[in-house]
Amino acid sequence: MYLTHFGMSEWPFSLTPNTDFYCALKPHHEAMEVLVTALNMGEGFIKVTGEVGTGKTLLCRKVLEHFTDYATVAYIANSYLNPNELRWAIAKELQINVDERAGQQVISQLIQDRLLELNQQQQQVVLIIDEAQCLSWDALEAVRLITNLETNSKKLLQVVLFGQPELDEKLSNKKVRQLRQRISFSYQLRAMTKSEVVHYIHHRLSVSGVSNSHLFGKNICLAIAKASRGIPRLVNILCHKVLLQSFGEGKNRVEHKHVNNAIKDTEDCERQRTAMLYVGTAVTLAAVAIVSFWRWSL
């Protein structure tokens, strides 16, 4: 499609989390520092929350890469699991051979034995659960129970929970107060600022091999920042759509009409735009009414 036209080696705005395009902006850099520090300190539970599309999964994969060399990492991407399925998933990630007929007590014991074995090998063990807001109450309790195993000096399993803000709501419930009290570090990802969006767009273009610095002008980037509300996923969607339009017209730079068309074609952005227009219209009508009343009073 437009890769050759713009001199790109790969898709710069793909929705697939690709750590090659990781941009260490302030929110993600701070989150990485919190995660690395907490895990190096041996803390039991760490939590990272953020709205949909703020880059949690990309950050999650970045953490996986960081600890792969000197830690055993169990990654659970699908959190729609009951306690039994969760134990099976953890056992599989820890490379435990489990008989299909094994009961849950047996699986729990095998997990504990494996954790002790890895500890003797001086291996750090980290369990990362993505989309953790989807865990049931029983599954959360199962995670807590698995982390009960410890030596005199440290936990044998550290847990990182990545989730949407609903995770905070779930953890505020008294049903999981024991788990909540074990969360020693947490971080909340925010959306990007306008200047961060500009840097983010140019960074991804640079990684993809684009040498044309005028492809996305600053005003174009700011328009995308406003429409996307600084949410990385929406930025990627809009940028991909404007590149398609520019390529279709045989042009070498993005124009404002391309951005406007992309916004109209992106439901989440258009809904926000419509809401803003409605608010603006309401404010204008209110101002007119006040002025008319004032004149009538005279």
Side-chain angles (χ1 to χ4, degrees):
M1 296 169 71
Y2 58 68
L3 289 181
T4 303
H5 180 74
F6 294 116
M8 299 173 178
S9 58
E10 53 186 321
W11 305 108
F13 301 107
S14 170
L15 295 184
T16 302
N18 184 346
T19 54
D20 290 340
F21 286 92
Y22 175 76
C23 186
L25 296 172
K26 187 176 180 180
H28 293 88
H29 177 68
E30 288 180 348
M32 272 296 294
E33 285 191 330
V34 168
L35 287 165
V36 172
T37 300
L39 290 172
N40 286 337
M41 291 175 64
E43 298 295 337
F45 276 87
I46 305 106
K47 171 174 64 71
V48 176
T49 56
E51 277 292 350
V52 175
T54 50
K56 297 184 297 299
T57 300
L58 179 60
L59 184 64
C60 183
R61 293 191 179 182
K62 192 69 177 176
V63 173
L64 282 169
E65 287 185 356
H66 183 86
F67 284 92
T68 297
D69 293 337
Y70 58 93
T72 297
V73 181
Y75 175 55
I76 308 297
N78 173 23
S79 57
Y80 282 100
L81 304 171
N82 62 41
N84 295 345
E85 292 169 336
L86 182 62
R87 292 188 189 95
W88 273 96
I90 294 172
K92 182 178 180 181
E93 285 292 306
L94 293 177
Q95 298 181 350
I96 300 173
N97 293 321
V98 182
D99 191 310
E100 293 182 358
R101 297 166 294 179
Q104 294 311 306
Q105 288 185 334
V106 173
I107 296 174
S108 295
Q109 186 60 54
L110 288 172
I111 291 174
Q112 291 187 3
D113 293 344
R114 177 61 171 160
L115 291 176
L116 286 168
E117 177 188 354
L118 291 169
N119 179 64
Q120 292 174 352
Q121 298 172 5
Q122 303 299 314
Q123 274 282 308
Q124 182 179 2
V125 185
V126 180
L127 169 63
I128 297 178
I129 303 179
D130 204 0
E131 301 294 345
Q133 77 279 352
C134 300
L135 288 170
S136 66
W137 301 116
D138 291 339
L140 282 169
E141 179 62 10
V143 173
R144 185 187 71 82
L145 292 175
I146 291 173
T147 62
N148 277 343
L149 189 63
E150 57 190 0
T151 65
N152 291 332
S153 59
K154 68 176 184 178
K155 292 283 186 182
L156 295 183
L157 178 66
Q158 296 171 273
V159 180
V160 183
L161 301 175
F162 284 88
Q164 296 171 18
E166 290 83 357
L167 176 61
D168 289 323
E169 296 176 16
K170 178 167 282 190
L171 292 176
S172 67
N173 193 293
K174 65 180 182 180
K175 292 180 180 179
V176 288
R177 60 187 182 278
Q178 288 181 298
L179 187 153
R180 182 176 66 248
Q181 290 176 1
R182 294 188 183 186
I183 298 174
S184 50
F185 283 82
S186 61
Y187 189 87
Q188 185 171 12
L189 279 173
R190 61 165 174 80
M192 297 182 287
T193 64
K194 291 181 180 180
S195 60
E196 286 172 341
V197 171
V198 175
H199 178 74
Y200 175 85
I201 291 173
H202 289 158
H203 169 79
R204 295 186 75 97
L205 288 171
S206 177
V207 172
S208 70
V210 174
S211 59
N212 179 7
S213 59
H214 301 294
L215 179 57
F216 277 76
K218 183 177 180 180
N219 288 336
I220 294 293
C221 293
L222 291 175
I224 291 173
K226 183 178 180 180
S228 66
R229 308 186 299 285
I231 298 173
R233 182 178 296 162
L234 291 179
V235 172
N236 285 7
I237 291 172
L238 291 175
C239 287
H240 177 61
K241 288 180 178 180
V242 299
L243 285 172
L244 281 172
Q245 293 177 73
S246 182
F247 164 69
E249 296 177 2
K251 297 183 177 179
N252 293 316
R253 63 182 302 167
V254 173
E255 299 177 0
H256 278 285
K257 65 177 182 179
H258 301 145
V259 177
N260 291 332
N261 290 336
I263 292 171
K264 292 177 182 178
D265 189 56
T266 307
E267 186 175 346
D268 202 4
C269 294
E270 181 62 16
R271 188 186 299 118
Q272 179 73 9
R273 184 185 189 189
T274 302
M276 291 175 66
L277 287 173
Y278 176 80
V279 171
T281 302
V283 170
T284 301
L285 291 173
V288 170
I290 291 171
V291 172
S292 298
F293 177 78
W294 177 73
R295 289 179 176 174
W296 179 80
S297 299
L298 294 178

